[in-house]
Amino acid sequence: MWQSTASRRQFLPSWCIVIIRTKSQGSLTLENLNPNIIKLQYAVRGPLVIRAGALIKELAGGSSKPFNKVILANVGDAQAMKQQPITFIRQVVACASYPNLIKSGSMPADVKQRAKDILKSCAGQSVGAYTMSHGIELIRRHVAEYIEQRDGHKANWQDICLTAGASNGIKHVLELFCNKVDCKPTGIMIPIPQYPLYSATLTEFGIGHIRYYLDEDKGWALDINELERSFTDGSKTHAVRAIVVINPGNPTGQVLKRGNIEDIIKFAHKKNLLIFADEVYQANVYDKDSKFFSFKKVMTELGAPYSCCALASFMSISKGYTGECGLRGGWMELCNMDPKVQEHLYKAMSAMLCPPTIGQIVCDCVAKTPCCGEPSYELWEKERCAVLDSLKERSEMIVQAFNGMKGFKCNKVQGAMYAFPRIELSSKAVEAAKAAGKAPDVFYAFKLLEDCGICIVPGSGFGQKPGTYHFRTTILPQKPLLKEMLDTFQKFHQKFSEQYP
Ligand SMILES: Cc1ncc(COP(=O)(O)O)c(C=O)c1O
């Protein structure tokens, strides 16, 4: 049996295999495990990250390495890289979780009031109680007000669902597509490069990946001819029913121009596609010539018939200036969804009971920020601006450093939290990678990790044009650490280029 499963076992870390070998297997074995789960890959937490974790332990255990720390530039987790939480958010969370604090004198009045309002909306006035499956009504109303202020157009609070992070909302909506249409399996258009939640979830749900390539030479813009090509090719084998757009982009860091968004909406309308607008980085725009436009706003302003496009947009508390990844909060807004379908979606969500209350509270703070004149306003503004200004500075530092390295080409990081440089690898490096049984970009990233302790994600984890090599690094290490990382990177690359000329 082990021989026949050898090829499957390669997807599992070795400790899993030991457990499977030694424990009673019951009815669930590799033979009968959902094959989509075996196929599913998620590069952001893949083998490099597992190795990085092992190196951290080895260093802590006193092993000698050519570096004294591991720098985790692989995941968009701002607080893990020492970004400070926003005081107002943590104070509201603290008061709501431990209401005795509301009685104490140490908290600002607006914090106490916010916590009281939220608690009034919680069953038993406790954050420990289940909430409605699509979230606390008061907070959904605040999110609708946030969207109205952002876009200048009406938002219906009943079309807003609070979720356990954007991932949770995205998965719920993707799941609606698990069906054949006219005997054809469903396919969904995803950008390449893309954030691997999409490829992983489509694989998990058995939905086809209909890839469209972003244009690196045009700053990762989205070309409508390429969308047409992708749709036409995809339609040969699949019923293509939706398109995912990530704006600002992960891993590519571009911010779509308004005209580009208009063209995508017209394309989606023509092909009858639901648009997944992944807008979790809407607060992360650094480039002075770029501006974030939501799909909802552009679609509404295009007017009929485009304003009737089906749209699901997603937001998260993990990104922006908050970086509250571990508290798991986010929201989605559904526009022009068939009401009966929306009812079934809400029903399916209710089977998961509710998103975490603490994450919902953070959503409330992001949607309804302290107002000018309120006690928390000044500190809020100061902290928010400090985070965003520093991210902007780091986004520029990184692009400048990479573009100064021979064989690197890095587009401007207009937004989000990542740089995705293209790197030329010599035929010698490609041969060495082949001999090591690794893709060239994976080989490069492993060598960087083993030699310098810097953990990045190879471009193949996000998808890239065949024959091109990239990697993604976050811009999240704080400035002194980022400087150290870039200096080390530069030296490593020079040595690597000499070793594989
Ligand atoms: C583009 C994009 N969408 C969604 C998510 C998921 O965010 P959350 O932590 O809210 O689930 C991420 C996380 O990195 C992301 O980059």
Side-chain angles (χ1 to χ4, degrees):
M1 173 204 143
W2 289 112
Q3 240 172 355
S4 67
T5 56
S7 60
R8 292 178 185 186
R9 272 189 290 152
Q10 72 186 355
F11 293 108
L12 295 171
S14 53
W15 59 265
C16 273
I17 294 162
V18 172
I19 290 168
I20 292 166
R21 264 178 187 286
T22 52
K23 292 244 160 111
S24 146
Q25 294 180 335
S27 71
L28 191 58
T29 67
L30 271 186
E31 251 66 55
N32 60 25
L33 175 62
N34 175 350
N36 290 344
I37 296 291
I38 296 176
K39 269 191 260 162
L40 178 161
Q41 300 214 22
Y42 187 67
V44 177
R45 297 193 175 205
L48 263 145
V49 187
I50 293 169
R51 178 66 190 136
L55 285 172
I56 292 170
K57 284 205 176 124
E58 286 173 30
L59 278 174
S63 293
S64 154
K65 302 276 169 208
F67 45 86
N68 59 13
K69 60 177 165 299
V70 173
I71 302 177
L72 294 173
N74 58 294
V75 61
D77 188 351
Q79 293 195 21
M81 299 312 284
K82 304 264 188 324
Q83 181 177 302
Q84 291 308 298
I86 301 284
T87 306
F88 176 76
I89 293 178
R90 290 304 181 87
Q91 285 175 330
V92 173
V93 165
C95 284
S97 317
Y98 186 61
N100 280 349
L101 283 176
I102 298 176
K103 293 181 210 135
S104 84
S106 60
M107 292 287 172
D110 52 347
V111 166
K112 293 184 193 177
Q113 190 55 49
R114 182 69 65 94
K116 274 193 218 161
D117 293 344
I118 293 169
L119 284 176
K120 256 190 249 154
S121 308
C122 293
Q125 302 231 354
S126 170
V127 296
Y130 288 128
T131 71
M132 293 294 286
S133 317
H134 19 51
I136 296 170
E137 180 179 324
L138 176 80
I139 303 179
R140 293 166 76 199
R141 286 180 183 275
H142 288 161
V143 170
E145 284 163 19
Y146 164 91
I147 292 172
E148 284 178 3
Q149 274 175 20
R150 182 193 67 188
D151 294 345
H153 301 290
K154 174 112 194 73
N156 180 2
W157 71 268
Q158 274 125 331
D159 292 331
I160 287 152
C161 295
L162 306 184
T163 55
S167 316
N168 174 256
I170 292 165
K171 280 189 91 164
H172 274 301
V173 182
L174 283 175
E175 200 173 12
L176 299 176
F177 288 91
C178 293
N179 201 359
K180 286 189 173 172
V181 172
D182 298 334
C183 302
K184 271 186 174 175
T186 289
I188 291 187
M189 295 176 70
I190 52 170
I192 297 294
Q194 53 97 36
Y195 172 57
L197 163 71
Y198 291 99
S199 50
T201 309
L202 294 186
T203 302
E204 182 180 344
F205 291 164
I207 297 174
H209 304 201
I210 311 300
R211 300 177 178 86
Y212 67 87
Y213 287 91
L214 302 177
D215 189 343
E216 182 167 16
D217 294 333
K218 292 197 181 126
W220 299 112
L222 214 152
D223 176 27
I224 298 302
N225 293 327
E226 171 58 9
L227 292 188
E228 289 281 358
R229 187 228 30 98
S230 160
F231 182 89
T232 307
D233 284 358
S235 300
K236 289 176 190 154
T237 48
H238 290 82
V240 184
R241 298 169 62 201
I243 179 169
V244 172
V245 182
I246 308 172
N247 180 45
N250 176 7
T252 37
Q254 84 284 24
V255 178
L256 293 181
K257 300 254 178 293
R258 187 186 172 115
N260 211 182
I261 298 176
E262 286 176 0
D263 291 343
I264 299 162
I265 293 168
K266 288 177 186 169
F267 170 82
H269 178 263
K270 186 165 79 178
K271 308 291 189 195
N272 196 22
L273 305 175
L274 179 140
I275 302 170
F276 281 78
D278 185 329
E279 298 174 338
V280 299
Y281 297 102
Q282 58 191 266
N284 298 103
V285 176
Y286 317 118
D287 174 37
K288 66 175 174 29
D289 301 322
S290 301
K291 185 168 164 17
F292 170 77
F293 291 98
S294 75
F295 269 75
K296 162 89 179 293
K297 178 181 175 68
V298 176
M299 189 176 92
T300 310
E301 289 172 9
L302 273 174
Y306 306 112
S307 49
C308 300
C309 263
L311 170 75
S313 67
F314 302 91
M315 171 63 168
S316 170
I317 60 166
S318 306
K319 313 297 169 185
Y321 49 89
T322 49
E324 295 285 10
C325 302
L327 300 187
R328 307 309 296 138
W331 66 71
M332 62 180 170
E333 185 188 18
L334 305 167
C335 301
N336 303 319
M337 189 174 261
D338 178 334
K340 289 263 176 295
V341 172
Q342 197 160 325
E343 245 175 61
H344 283 292
L345 170 63
Y346 285 5
K347 176 192 67 184
M349 290 177 75
S350 71
M352 301 308 293
L353 297 171
C354 70
T357 320
I358 300 293
Q360 296 186 50
I361 293 174
V362 180
C363 287
D364 193 68
C365 297
V366 171
K368 186 172 165 19
T369 62
C371 291
C372 184
E374 287 180 343
S376 300
Y377 177 74
E378 251 177 56
L379 183 60
W380 168 276
E381 258 316 271
K382 191 170 147 220
E383 291 177 340
R384 188 183 72 88
C385 292
V387 170
L388 292 176
D389 289 350
S390 168
L391 285 171
K392 173 177 158 58
E393 202 181 338
R394 285 178 271 162
S395 71
E396 287 162 1
M397 259 171 85
I398 235 170
V399 174
Q400 200 182 11
F402 284 144
N403 281 333
M405 285 157 68
K406 202 158 163 247
F408 272 65
K409 188 176 165 290
C410 186
N411 277 330
K412 214 175 194 178
V413 178
Q414 295 170 324
M417 294 179 169
Y418 316 93
F420 195 65
R422 178 169 174 173
I423 165 171
E424 271 170 33
L425 294 175
S426 67
S427 49
K428 281 226 161 86
V430 174
E431 274 163 34
K434 205 167 161 195
K438 290 189 166 72
D441 56 348
V442 177
F443 178 72
Y444 184 89
F446 259 108
K447 216 161 159 26
L448 178 72
L449 177 63
E450 295 292 348
D451 291 6
C452 308
I454 298 173
C455 184
I456 54 171
V457 186
S460 41
F462 305 93
Q464 54 198 347
K465 269 201 169 149
T468 67
Y469 306 113
H470 299 78
F471 62 83
R472 187 190 82 170
T473 172
T474 72
I475 59 168
L476 295 178
Q478 299 299 310
K479 226 172 112 185
L481 184 62
L482 184 62
K483 189 168 177 332
E484 183 186 328
M485 176 179 120
L486 293 171
D487 288 346
T488 310
F489 209 130
Q490 234 151 0
K491 286 183 198 128
F492 165 82
H493 185 66
Q494 192 162 350
K495 216 168 118 201
F496 185 92
S497 309
E498 283 160 15
Q499 197 177 352
Y500 304 104

